[in-house]
mmCIF file of all heavy atoms in Angstrom:
data_model
loop_
_atom_site.group_PDB
_atom_site.id
_atom_site.type_symbol
_atom_site.label_atom_id
_atom_site.label_comp_id
_atom_site.label_asym_id
_atom_site.label_seq_id
_atom_site.Cartn_x
_atom_site.Cartn_y
_atom_site.Cartn_z
ATOM 1 N N THR A 999 -4.297 8.187 1.347
ATOM 2 C CA THR A 999 -5.551 8.798 1.505
ATOM 3 C C THR A 999 -5.981 8.898 2.884
ATOM 4 O O THR A 999 -6.428 8.010 3.582
ATOM 5 C CB THR A 999 -6.678 7.928 0.738
ATOM 6 O OG1 THR A 999 -6.768 6.596 1.322
ATOM 7 C CG2 THR A 999 -6.345 7.847 -0.742
ATOM 8 N N ASP A 1000 -5.825 10.164 3.463
ATOM 9 C CA ASP A 1000 -6.237 10.353 4.803
ATOM 10 C C ASP A 1000 -7.774 10.462 4.811
ATOM 11 O O ASP A 1000 -8.350 10.827 3.827
ATOM 12 C CB ASP A 1000 -5.673 11.672 5.294
ATOM 13 C CG ASP A 1000 -4.260 11.582 5.844
ATOM 14 O OD1 ASP A 1000 -3.842 10.425 6.269
ATOM 15 O OD2 ASP A 1000 -3.547 12.602 5.906
ATOM 16 N N ILE A 1001 -8.284 10.253 5.956
ATOM 17 C CA ILE A 1001 -9.759 10.318 6.181
ATOM 18 C C ILE A 1001 -10.240 11.820 6.250
ATOM 19 O O ILE A 1001 -9.732 12.458 7.271
ATOM 20 C CB ILE A 1001 -10.266 9.486 7.333
ATOM 21 C CG1 ILE A 1001 -9.940 8.021 7.097
ATOM 22 C CG2 ILE A 1001 -11.808 9.664 7.566
ATOM 23 C CD1 ILE A 1001 -10.163 7.157 8.293
ATOM 24 N N ASN A 1002 -10.951 12.317 5.335
ATOM 25 C CA ASN A 1002 -11.459 13.639 5.359
ATOM 26 C C ASN A 1002 -10.446 14.756 5.600
ATOM 27 O O ASN A 1002 -10.798 15.797 6.093
ATOM 28 C CB ASN A 1002 -12.606 13.764 6.444
ATOM 29 C CG ASN A 1002 -13.794 12.878 6.140
ATOM 30 O OD1 ASN A 1002 -13.954 12.370 5.066
ATOM 31 N ND2 ASN A 1002 -14.628 12.746 7.108
ATOM 32 N N ASN A 1003 -9.221 14.554 5.088
ATOM 33 C CA ASN A 1003 -8.240 15.614 5.172
ATOM 34 C C ASN A 1003 -7.015 15.359 4.227
ATOM 35 O O ASN A 1003 -6.928 14.217 3.784
ATOM 36 C CB ASN A 1003 -7.727 15.952 6.618
ATOM 37 C CG ASN A 1003 -6.878 15.013 7.131
ATOM 38 O OD1 ASN A 1003 -5.631 15.013 6.815
ATOM 39 N ND2 ASN A 1003 -7.208 14.245 8.078
ATOM 40 N N THR A 1004 -6.249 16.337 4.029
ATOM 41 C CA THR A 1004 -5.085 16.130 3.206
ATOM 42 C C THR A 1004 -3.758 16.670 3.882
ATOM 43 O O THR A 1004 -2.758 16.904 3.253
ATOM 44 C CB THR A 1004 -5.228 16.919 1.810
ATOM 45 O OG1 THR A 1004 -5.347 18.348 2.125
ATOM 46 C CG2 THR A 1004 -6.317 16.429 0.977
ATOM 47 N N GLY A 1024 -4.794 11.448 -2.164
ATOM 48 C CA GLY A 1024 -6.227 11.572 -2.354
ATOM 49 C C GLY A 1024 -6.794 11.656 -0.880
ATOM 50 O O GLY A 1024 -6.212 11.937 0.038
ATOM 51 N N VAL A 1025 -8.136 11.454 -0.868
ATOM 52 C CA VAL A 1025 -8.837 11.579 0.329
ATOM 53 C C VAL A 1025 -9.931 10.335 0.421
ATOM 54 O O VAL A 1025 -10.425 9.984 -0.616
ATOM 55 C CB VAL A 1025 -9.668 12.871 0.503
ATOM 56 C CG1 VAL A 1025 -10.593 12.875 1.643
ATOM 57 C CG2 VAL A 1025 -8.691 14.027 0.488
ATOM 58 N N ASP A 1026 -9.999 9.813 1.613
ATOM 59 C CA ASP A 1026 -11.032 8.724 1.943
ATOM 60 C C ASP A 1026 -12.169 9.555 2.506
ATOM 61 O O ASP A 1026 -12.100 9.944 3.713
ATOM 62 C CB ASP A 1026 -10.380 7.746 2.933
ATOM 63 C CG ASP A 1026 -11.239 6.596 3.282
ATOM 64 O OD1 ASP A 1026 -12.531 6.706 3.023
ATOM 65 O OD2 ASP A 1026 -10.810 5.627 3.837
ATOM 66 N N PHE A 1027 -13.137 9.695 1.820
ATOM 67 C CA PHE A 1027 -14.338 10.555 2.224
ATOM 68 C C PHE A 1027 -15.327 9.680 3.117
ATOM 69 O O PHE A 1027 -15.760 8.622 2.633
ATOM 70 C CB PHE A 1027 -15.104 11.094 1.074
ATOM 71 C CG PHE A 1027 -14.420 12.250 0.279
ATOM 72 C CD1 PHE A 1027 -13.446 12.023 -0.603
ATOM 73 C CD2 PHE A 1027 -14.625 13.566 0.740
ATOM 74 C CE1 PHE A 1027 -12.740 13.028 -1.225
ATOM 75 C CE2 PHE A 1027 -13.907 14.632 0.103
ATOM 76 C CZ PHE A 1027 -13.015 14.322 -0.870
ATOM 77 N N ARG A 1028 -15.539 10.091 4.255
ATOM 78 C CA ARG A 1028 -16.385 9.343 5.216
ATOM 79 C C ARG A 1028 -17.310 10.168 5.911
ATOM 80 O O ARG A 1028 -16.957 11.398 6.345
ATOM 81 C CB ARG A 1028 -15.519 8.510 6.297
ATOM 82 C CG ARG A 1028 -14.657 7.502 5.638
ATOM 83 C CD ARG A 1028 -13.846 6.841 6.684
ATOM 84 N NE ARG A 1028 -12.922 5.885 5.999
ATOM 85 C CZ ARG A 1028 -12.756 4.631 6.448
ATOM 86 N NH1 ARG A 1028 -13.334 4.260 7.493
ATOM 87 N NH2 ARG A 1028 -11.925 3.866 5.772
ATOM 88 N N ASN A 1029 -18.502 9.682 6.262
ATOM 89 C CA ASN A 1029 -19.444 10.321 7.204
ATOM 90 C C ASN A 1029 -19.264 9.579 8.399
ATOM 91 O O ASN A 1029 -19.758 8.362 8.576
ATOM 92 C CB ASN A 1029 -20.871 10.237 6.690
ATOM 93 C CG ASN A 1029 -21.028 11.155 5.418
ATOM 94 O OD1 ASN A 1029 -20.410 12.178 5.306
ATOM 95 N ND2 ASN A 1029 -21.799 10.656 4.472
ATOM 96 N N GLY A 1030 -18.546 10.093 9.476
ATOM 97 C CA GLY A 1030 -18.274 9.332 10.629
ATOM 98 C C GLY A 1030 -17.297 8.215 10.255
ATOM 99 O O GLY A 1030 -16.275 8.383 9.681
ATOM 100 N N ASN A 1031 -17.716 6.944 10.538
ATOM 101 C CA ASN A 1031 -16.929 5.815 10.164
ATOM 102 C C ASN A 1031 -17.382 5.121 8.842
ATOM 103 O O ASN A 1031 -16.901 4.206 8.411
ATOM 104 C CB ASN A 1031 -17.044 4.828 11.315
ATOM 105 C CG ASN A 1031 -16.506 5.252 12.610
ATOM 106 O OD1 ASN A 1031 -15.417 5.881 12.602
ATOM 107 N ND2 ASN A 1031 -17.182 5.046 13.718
ATOM 108 N N ASP A 1032 -18.404 5.794 8.209
ATOM 109 C CA ASP A 1032 -19.017 5.206 7.033
ATOM 110 C C ASP A 1032 -18.337 5.736 5.776
ATOM 111 O O ASP A 1032 -18.524 6.947 5.347
ATOM 112 C CB ASP A 1032 -20.504 5.564 7.044
ATOM 113 C CG ASP A 1032 -21.290 4.825 5.953
ATOM 114 O OD1 ASP A 1032 -20.824 3.767 5.493
ATOM 115 O OD2 ASP A 1032 -22.398 5.413 5.598
ATOM 116 N N GLN A 1033 -17.577 4.869 5.073
ATOM 117 C CA GLN A 1033 -16.843 5.306 3.919
ATOM 118 C C GLN A 1033 -17.812 5.561 2.728
ATOM 119 O O GLN A 1033 -18.688 4.653 2.506
ATOM 120 C CB GLN A 1033 -15.831 4.205 3.486
ATOM 121 C CG GLN A 1033 -14.984 4.556 2.368
ATOM 122 C CD GLN A 1033 -13.940 3.521 2.018
ATOM 123 O OE1 GLN A 1033 -14.306 2.397 1.798
ATOM 124 N NE2 GLN A 1033 -12.732 3.931 1.907
ATOM 125 N N GLN A 1034 -17.715 6.711 2.053
ATOM 126 C CA GLN A 1034 -18.524 6.980 0.961
ATOM 127 C C GLN A 1034 -17.774 6.673 -0.343
ATOM 128 O O GLN A 1034 -18.301 6.073 -1.248
ATOM 129 C CB GLN A 1034 -18.918 8.481 0.935
ATOM 130 C CG GLN A 1034 -19.641 8.885 2.254
ATOM 131 C CD GLN A 1034 -20.946 8.141 2.456
ATOM 132 O OE1 GLN A 1034 -21.812 8.116 1.576
ATOM 133 N NE2 GLN A 1034 -21.049 7.444 3.519
ATOM 134 N N TYR A 1035 -16.571 7.134 -0.468
ATOM 135 C CA TYR A 1035 -15.730 6.896 -1.614
ATOM 136 C C TYR A 1035 -14.292 7.370 -1.371
ATOM 137 O O TYR A 1035 -14.011 8.108 -0.369
ATOM 138 C CB TYR A 1035 -16.280 7.623 -2.933
ATOM 139 C CG TYR A 1035 -16.959 8.891 -2.624
ATOM 140 C CD1 TYR A 1035 -16.312 10.099 -2.379
ATOM 141 C CD2 TYR A 1035 -18.375 8.990 -2.647
ATOM 142 C CE1 TYR A 1035 -16.972 11.295 -2.030
ATOM 143 C CE2 TYR A 1035 -19.071 10.066 -2.294
ATOM 144 C CZ TYR A 1035 -18.408 11.270 -2.045
ATOM 145 O OH TYR A 1035 -19.072 12.426 -1.741
ATOM 146 N N VAL A 1036 -13.399 6.944 -2.190
ATOM 147 C CA VAL A 1036 -11.944 7.392 -2.117
ATOM 148 C C VAL A 1036 -11.707 8.121 -3.444
ATOM 149 O O VAL A 1036 -12.204 7.697 -4.499
ATOM 150 C CB VAL A 1036 -11.083 6.147 -2.045
ATOM 151 C CG1 VAL A 1036 -9.568 6.625 -2.094
ATOM 152 C CG2 VAL A 1036 -11.285 5.422 -0.680
ATOM 153 N N ILE A 1037 -11.091 9.304 -3.318
ATOM 154 C CA ILE A 1037 -10.759 10.067 -4.552
ATOM 155 C C ILE A 1037 -9.272 10.238 -4.663
ATOM 156 O O ILE A 1037 -8.687 10.741 -3.588
ATOM 157 C CB ILE A 1037 -11.539 11.385 -4.537
ATOM 158 C CG1 ILE A 1037 -13.058 11.188 -4.488
ATOM 159 C CG2 ILE A 1037 -11.189 12.154 -5.851
ATOM 160 C CD1 ILE A 1037 -13.820 12.360 -4.445
ATOM 161 N N LEU A 1038 -8.714 9.875 -5.794
ATOM 162 C CA LEU A 1038 -7.266 10.021 -5.989
ATOM 163 C C LEU A 1038 -6.882 10.999 -7.026
ATOM 164 O O LEU A 1038 -7.502 11.007 -8.131
ATOM 165 C CB LEU A 1038 -6.667 8.621 -6.454
ATOM 166 C CG LEU A 1038 -6.900 7.392 -5.615
ATOM 167 C CD1 LEU A 1038 -6.359 6.148 -6.335
ATOM 168 C CD2 LEU A 1038 -6.295 7.544 -4.237
ATOM 169 N N ALA A 1039 -5.994 11.834 -6.708
ATOM 170 C CA ALA A 1039 -5.596 12.951 -7.635
ATOM 171 C C ALA A 1039 -4.753 12.388 -8.756
ATOM 172 O O ALA A 1039 -3.769 11.595 -8.524
ATOM 173 C CB ALA A 1039 -4.869 14.037 -6.953
ATOM 174 N N GLY A 1044 -5.886 17.900 -9.926
ATOM 175 C CA GLY A 1044 -6.784 17.017 -9.329
ATOM 176 C C GLY A 1044 -6.749 17.163 -7.749
ATOM 177 O O GLY A 1044 -7.761 17.090 -7.149
ATOM 178 N N PHE A 1045 -5.539 17.415 -7.209
ATOM 179 C CA PHE A 1045 -5.456 17.560 -5.828
ATOM 180 C C PHE A 1045 -6.190 18.797 -5.382
ATOM 181 O O PHE A 1045 -6.854 18.922 -4.356
ATOM 182 C CB PHE A 1045 -3.943 17.687 -5.459
ATOM 183 C CG PHE A 1045 -3.644 17.633 -3.981
ATOM 184 C CD1 PHE A 1045 -4.118 16.546 -3.154
ATOM 185 C CD2 PHE A 1045 -3.041 18.634 -3.377
ATOM 186 C CE1 PHE A 1045 -3.833 16.489 -1.832
ATOM 187 C CE2 PHE A 1045 -2.755 18.617 -1.971
ATOM 188 C CZ PHE A 1045 -3.108 17.560 -1.186
ATOM 189 N N GLU A 1047 -8.825 20.079 -7.025
ATOM 190 C CA GLU A 1047 -10.200 19.755 -7.141
ATOM 191 C C GLU A 1047 -10.709 19.033 -5.856
ATOM 192 O O GLU A 1047 -11.802 19.369 -5.306
ATOM 193 C CB GLU A 1047 -10.441 18.792 -8.358
ATOM 194 C CG GLU A 1047 -10.626 19.430 -9.629
ATOM 195 C CD GLU A 1047 -10.904 18.372 -10.634
ATOM 196 O OE1 GLU A 1047 -10.210 17.351 -10.840
ATOM 197 O OE2 GLU A 1047 -11.966 18.568 -11.332
ATOM 198 N N ILE A 1048 -9.891 18.091 -5.374
ATOM 199 C CA ILE A 1048 -10.268 17.253 -4.168
ATOM 200 C C ILE A 1048 -10.405 18.198 -2.992
ATOM 201 O O ILE A 1048 -11.349 18.106 -2.204
ATOM 202 C CB ILE A 1048 -9.255 16.165 -3.961
ATOM 203 C CG1 ILE A 1048 -9.365 15.128 -5.108
ATOM 204 C CG2 ILE A 1048 -9.458 15.544 -2.571
ATOM 205 C CD1 ILE A 1048 -8.239 14.085 -5.067
ATOM 206 N N ASN A 1049 -9.345 19.087 -2.861
ATOM 207 C CA ASN A 1049 -9.383 19.982 -1.713
ATOM 208 C C ASN A 1049 -10.563 21.001 -1.753
ATOM 209 O O ASN A 1049 -11.113 21.355 -0.655
ATOM 210 C CB ASN A 1049 -8.014 20.729 -1.583
ATOM 211 C CG ASN A 1049 -7.016 19.946 -0.837
ATOM 212 O OD1 ASN A 1049 -7.108 19.759 0.350
ATOM 213 N ND2 ASN A 1049 -6.018 19.515 -1.652
ATOM 214 N N GLU A 1050 -10.849 21.434 -2.904
ATOM 215 C CA GLU A 1050 -12.006 22.385 -3.018
ATOM 216 C C GLU A 1050 -13.333 21.620 -2.576
ATOM 217 O O GLU A 1050 -14.130 22.187 -1.842
ATOM 218 C CB GLU A 1050 -12.100 22.865 -4.404
ATOM 219 C CG GLU A 1050 -11.088 23.943 -4.785
ATOM 220 C CD GLU A 1050 -11.069 24.291 -6.271
ATOM 221 O OE1 GLU A 1050 -12.089 23.972 -7.001
ATOM 222 O OE2 GLU A 1050 -10.054 24.868 -6.735
ATOM 223 N N TYR A 1051 -13.481 20.488 -3.074
ATOM 224 C CA TYR A 1051 -14.726 19.673 -2.673
ATOM 225 C C TYR A 1051 -14.733 19.401 -1.183
ATOM 226 O O TYR A 1051 -15.790 19.611 -0.573
ATOM 227 C CB TYR A 1051 -14.728 18.371 -3.537
ATOM 228 C CG TYR A 1051 -15.857 17.444 -3.187
ATOM 229 C CD1 TYR A 1051 -17.130 17.799 -3.445
ATOM 230 C CD2 TYR A 1051 -15.553 16.226 -2.535
ATOM 231 C CE1 TYR A 1051 -18.197 16.942 -3.124
ATOM 232 C CE2 TYR A 1051 -16.646 15.342 -2.287
ATOM 233 C CZ TYR A 1051 -17.969 15.715 -2.544
ATOM 234 O OH TYR A 1051 -18.934 14.857 -2.243
ATOM 235 N N LEU A 1052 -13.606 18.926 -0.736
ATOM 236 C CA LEU A 1052 -13.508 18.625 0.728
ATOM 237 C C LEU A 1052 -13.809 19.811 1.579
ATOM 238 O O LEU A 1052 -14.514 19.718 2.528
ATOM 239 C CB LEU A 1052 -12.069 18.049 1.023
ATOM 240 C CG LEU A 1052 -11.769 17.747 2.516
ATOM 241 C CD1 LEU A 1052 -12.647 16.572 3.005
ATOM 242 C CD2 LEU A 1052 -10.243 17.404 2.590
ATOM 243 N N SER A 1053 -13.197 20.936 1.246
ATOM 244 C CA SER A 1053 -13.364 22.156 1.978
ATOM 245 C C SER A 1053 -14.846 22.607 2.087
ATOM 246 O O SER A 1053 -15.365 23.045 3.013
ATOM 247 C CB SER A 1053 -12.479 23.250 1.456
ATOM 248 O OG SER A 1053 -11.187 22.988 1.622
ATOM 249 N N GLN A 1054 -15.494 22.521 0.863
ATOM 250 C CA GLN A 1054 -16.872 22.934 0.732
ATOM 251 C C GLN A 1054 -17.737 22.223 1.776
ATOM 252 O O GLN A 1054 -18.565 22.824 2.440
ATOM 253 C CB GLN A 1054 -17.373 22.657 -0.670
ATOM 254 C CG GLN A 1054 -18.862 22.695 -0.866
ATOM 255 C CD GLN A 1054 -19.227 22.076 -2.163
ATOM 256 O OE1 GLN A 1054 -18.403 21.809 -3.032
ATOM 257 N NE2 GLN A 1054 -20.512 21.868 -2.351
ATOM 258 N N TRP A 1055 -17.540 20.884 1.972
ATOM 259 C CA TRP A 1055 -18.415 20.085 2.801
ATOM 260 C C TRP A 1055 -18.003 20.192 4.204
ATOM 261 O O TRP A 1055 -18.765 20.235 5.123
ATOM 262 C CB TRP A 1055 -18.384 18.640 2.384
ATOM 263 C CG TRP A 1055 -19.175 18.527 1.062
ATOM 264 C CD1 TRP A 1055 -18.682 18.501 -0.152
ATOM 265 C CD2 TRP A 1055 -20.605 18.453 0.904
ATOM 266 N NE1 TRP A 1055 -19.696 18.312 -1.148
ATOM 267 C CE2 TRP A 1055 -20.854 18.377 -0.374
ATOM 268 C CE3 TRP A 1055 -21.641 18.435 1.843
ATOM 269 C CZ2 TRP A 1055 -22.178 18.249 -0.907
ATOM 270 C CZ3 TRP A 1055 -22.967 18.381 1.366
ATOM 271 C CH2 TRP A 1055 -23.211 18.345 0.016
ATOM 272 N N LEU A 1056 -16.709 20.374 4.470
ATOM 273 C CA LEU A 1056 -16.254 20.490 5.902
ATOM 274 C C LEU A 1056 -16.648 21.852 6.422
ATOM 275 O O LEU A 1056 -17.109 21.927 7.592
ATOM 276 C CB LEU A 1056 -14.722 20.314 5.999
ATOM 277 C CG LEU A 1056 -14.119 18.885 5.750
ATOM 278 C CD1 LEU A 1056 -12.661 18.898 5.818
ATOM 279 C CD2 LEU A 1056 -14.787 17.811 6.629
ATOM 280 N N GLU A 1060 -21.614 19.461 6.822
ATOM 281 C CA GLU A 1060 -22.637 18.555 6.347
ATOM 282 C C GLU A 1060 -22.052 17.222 5.978
ATOM 283 O O GLU A 1060 -20.816 17.132 5.627
ATOM 284 C CB GLU A 1060 -23.339 19.169 5.144
ATOM 285 C CG GLU A 1060 -24.126 20.442 5.438
ATOM 286 C CD GLU A 1060 -24.651 21.026 4.143
ATOM 287 O OE1 GLU A 1060 -24.752 20.326 3.143
ATOM 288 O OE2 GLU A 1060 -25.287 22.141 4.234
ATOM 289 N N ALA A 1061 -22.853 16.213 5.874
ATOM 290 C CA ALA A 1061 -22.445 14.880 5.477
ATOM 291 C C ALA A 1061 -22.078 14.917 3.926
ATOM 292 O O ALA A 1061 -22.784 15.636 3.190
ATOM 293 C CB ALA A 1061 -23.536 13.884 5.746
ATOM 294 N N PHE A 1062 -21.176 14.090 3.592
ATOM 295 C CA PHE A 1062 -20.856 13.955 2.167
ATOM 296 C C PHE A 1062 -21.936 13.120 1.499
ATOM 297 O O PHE A 1062 -22.459 12.204 2.047
ATOM 298 C CB PHE A 1062 -19.490 13.178 2.011
ATOM 299 C CG PHE A 1062 -18.295 13.883 2.570
ATOM 300 C CD1 PHE A 1062 -17.642 13.493 3.716
ATOM 301 C CD2 PHE A 1062 -17.778 15.079 1.911
ATOM 302 C CE1 PHE A 1062 -16.656 14.139 4.247
ATOM 303 C CE2 PHE A 1062 -16.736 15.774 2.399
ATOM 304 C CZ PHE A 1062 -16.112 15.283 3.614
ATOM 305 N N PRO A 1063 -22.353 13.476 0.305
ATOM 306 C CA PRO A 1063 -23.291 12.770 -0.417
ATOM 307 C C PRO A 1063 -22.869 11.417 -0.840
ATOM 308 O O PRO A 1063 -21.651 11.224 -0.883
ATOM 309 C CB PRO A 1063 -23.621 13.709 -1.654
ATOM 310 C CG PRO A 1063 -22.405 14.430 -1.865
ATOM 311 C CD PRO A 1063 -21.745 14.664 -0.487
ATOM 312 N N PRO A 1064 -23.783 10.442 -1.101
ATOM 313 C CA PRO A 1064 -23.306 9.092 -1.440
ATOM 314 C C PRO A 1064 -22.717 9.037 -2.793
ATOM 315 O O PRO A 1064 -21.968 7.963 -3.056
ATOM 316 C CB PRO A 1064 -24.663 8.328 -1.396
ATOM 317 C CG PRO A 1064 -25.754 9.336 -1.497
ATOM 318 C CD PRO A 1064 -25.182 10.624 -0.956
ATOM 319 N N GLU A 1065 -22.876 9.958 -3.610
ATOM 320 C CA GLU A 1065 -22.166 9.957 -4.899
ATOM 321 C C GLU A 1065 -21.318 11.243 -5.124
ATOM 322 O O GLU A 1065 -21.733 12.300 -4.711
ATOM 323 C CB GLU A 1065 -23.157 9.887 -6.098
ATOM 324 C CG GLU A 1065 -23.892 8.521 -6.166
ATOM 325 C CD GLU A 1065 -24.717 8.375 -7.396
ATOM 326 O OE1 GLU A 1065 -24.540 9.162 -8.358
ATOM 327 O OE2 GLU A 1065 -25.622 7.558 -7.399
ATOM 328 N N ALA A 1066 -20.086 11.005 -5.535
ATOM 329 C CA ALA A 1066 -19.168 12.098 -5.784
ATOM 330 C C ALA A 1066 -19.624 12.957 -6.955
ATOM 331 O O ALA A 1066 -20.203 12.442 -7.896
ATOM 332 C CB ALA A 1066 -17.758 11.564 -5.931
ATOM 333 N N PRO A 1067 -19.195 14.161 -6.980
ATOM 334 C CA PRO A 1067 -19.463 15.032 -8.113
ATOM 335 C C PRO A 1067 -18.481 14.617 -9.262
ATOM 336 O O PRO A 1067 -17.612 13.726 -9.118
ATOM 337 C CB PRO A 1067 -19.166 16.439 -7.632
ATOM 338 C CG PRO A 1067 -18.140 16.260 -6.581
ATOM 339 C CD PRO A 1067 -18.477 14.953 -5.953
ATOM 340 N N PHE A 1069 -15.320 14.852 -11.398
ATOM 341 C CA PHE A 1069 -13.994 15.343 -11.234
ATOM 342 C C PHE A 1069 -13.299 15.192 -12.616
ATOM 343 O O PHE A 1069 -13.467 14.198 -13.269
ATOM 344 C CB PHE A 1069 -13.139 14.515 -10.195
ATOM 345 C CG PHE A 1069 -13.522 14.874 -8.809
ATOM 346 C CD1 PHE A 1069 -14.548 14.227 -8.115
ATOM 347 C CD2 PHE A 1069 -12.787 15.800 -8.090
ATOM 348 C CE1 PHE A 1069 -14.898 14.596 -6.812
ATOM 349 C CE2 PHE A 1069 -13.099 16.165 -6.801
ATOM 350 C CZ PHE A 1069 -14.199 15.535 -6.158
ATOM 351 N N ALA A 1072 -9.202 13.514 -11.379
ATOM 352 C CA ALA A 1072 -9.128 12.607 -10.239
ATOM 353 C C ALA A 1072 -9.899 11.327 -10.564
ATOM 354 O O ALA A 1072 -10.844 11.341 -11.395
ATOM 355 C CB ALA A 1072 -9.641 13.267 -9.029
ATOM 356 N N PHE A 1073 -9.552 10.220 -9.915
ATOM 357 C CA PHE A 1073 -10.274 8.957 -10.019
ATOM 358 C C PHE A 1073 -11.219 8.918 -8.753
ATOM 359 O O PHE A 1073 -10.807 9.222 -7.673
ATOM 360 C CB PHE A 1073 -9.348 7.810 -10.022
ATOM 361 C CG PHE A 1073 -8.580 7.653 -11.265
ATOM 362 C CD1 PHE A 1073 -7.207 7.950 -11.247
ATOM 363 C CD2 PHE A 1073 -9.119 7.231 -12.389
ATOM 364 C CE1 PHE A 1073 -6.469 7.780 -12.459
ATOM 365 C CE2 PHE A 1073 -8.417 7.040 -13.590
ATOM 366 C CZ PHE A 1073 -7.094 7.381 -13.588
ATOM 367 N N VAL A 1074 -12.421 8.450 -8.919
ATOM 368 C CA VAL A 1074 -13.372 8.188 -7.857
ATOM 369 C C VAL A 1074 -13.521 6.689 -7.663
ATOM 370 O O VAL A 1074 -13.807 5.949 -8.701
ATOM 371 C CB VAL A 1074 -14.677 8.851 -8.137
ATOM 372 C CG1 VAL A 1074 -15.655 8.571 -7.002
ATOM 373 C CG2 VAL A 1074 -14.517 10.442 -8.256
ATOM 374 N N ILE A 1075 -13.362 6.161 -6.530
ATOM 375 C CA ILE A 1075 -13.471 4.771 -6.216
ATOM 376 C C ILE A 1075 -14.582 4.602 -5.153
ATOM 377 O O ILE A 1075 -14.384 5.077 -4.031
ATOM 378 C CB ILE A 1075 -12.130 4.172 -5.784
ATOM 379 C CG1 ILE A 1075 -11.152 4.372 -6.871
ATOM 380 C CG2 ILE A 1075 -12.295 2.674 -5.512
ATOM 381 C CD1 ILE A 1075 -9.644 4.016 -6.424
ATOM 382 N N TYR A 1076 -15.662 3.902 -5.518
ATOM 383 C CA TYR A 1076 -16.691 3.584 -4.599
ATOM 384 C C TYR A 1076 -16.493 2.229 -3.958
ATOM 385 O O TYR A 1076 -16.104 1.307 -4.736
ATOM 386 C CB TYR A 1076 -18.066 3.543 -5.343
ATOM 387 C CG TYR A 1076 -18.441 4.961 -5.841
ATOM 388 C CD1 TYR A 1076 -18.312 5.282 -7.169
ATOM 389 C CD2 TYR A 1076 -19.142 5.843 -5.047
ATOM 390 C CE1 TYR A 1076 -18.757 6.515 -7.678
ATOM 391 C CE2 TYR A 1076 -19.504 7.053 -5.506
ATOM 392 C CZ TYR A 1076 -19.314 7.416 -6.836
ATOM 393 O OH TYR A 1076 -19.760 8.618 -7.266
ATOM 394 N N PRO A 1077 -16.639 2.091 -2.701
ATOM 395 C CA PRO A 1077 -16.487 0.717 -2.077
ATOM 396 C C PRO A 1077 -17.572 -0.194 -2.705
ATOM 397 O O PRO A 1077 -18.681 0.172 -2.999
ATOM 398 C CB PRO A 1077 -16.779 1.014 -0.632
ATOM 399 C CG PRO A 1077 -17.158 2.428 -0.376
ATOM 400 C CD PRO A 1077 -17.097 3.071 -1.750
ATOM 401 N N LYS A 1080 -21.110 -0.149 -1.676
ATOM 402 C CA LYS A 1080 -21.871 1.040 -1.909
ATOM 403 C C LYS A 1080 -21.824 1.475 -3.362
ATOM 404 O O LYS A 1080 -22.029 2.646 -3.747
ATOM 405 C CB LYS A 1080 -21.317 2.194 -1.077
ATOM 406 C CG LYS A 1080 -21.507 2.003 0.382
ATOM 407 C CD LYS A 1080 -21.325 3.277 1.060
ATOM 408 C CE LYS A 1080 -21.828 3.069 2.450
ATOM 409 N NZ LYS A 1080 -21.799 4.284 3.204
#
Side-chain angles (χ1 to χ4, degrees):
T999 58
D1000 277 339
I1001 296 172
N1002 296 347
N1003 79 74
T1004 59
V1025 173
D1026 182 347
F1027 287 85
R1028 295 181 184 224
N1029 293 324
N1031 297 318
D1032 188 26
Q1033 185 179 54
Q1034 301 302 302
Y1035 30 80
V1036 173
I1037 304 179
L1038 303 177
F1045 190 60
E1047 277 185 304
I1048 292 169
N1049 275 293
E1050 286 171 17
Y1051 176 68
L1052 176 65
S1053 295
Q1054 167 193 347
W1055 289 97
L1056 292 179
E1060 295 179 10
F1062 296 105
E1065 289 187 23
F1069 283 89
F1073 289 109
V1074 177
I1075 303 169
Y1076 292 98
K1080 293 198 170 183

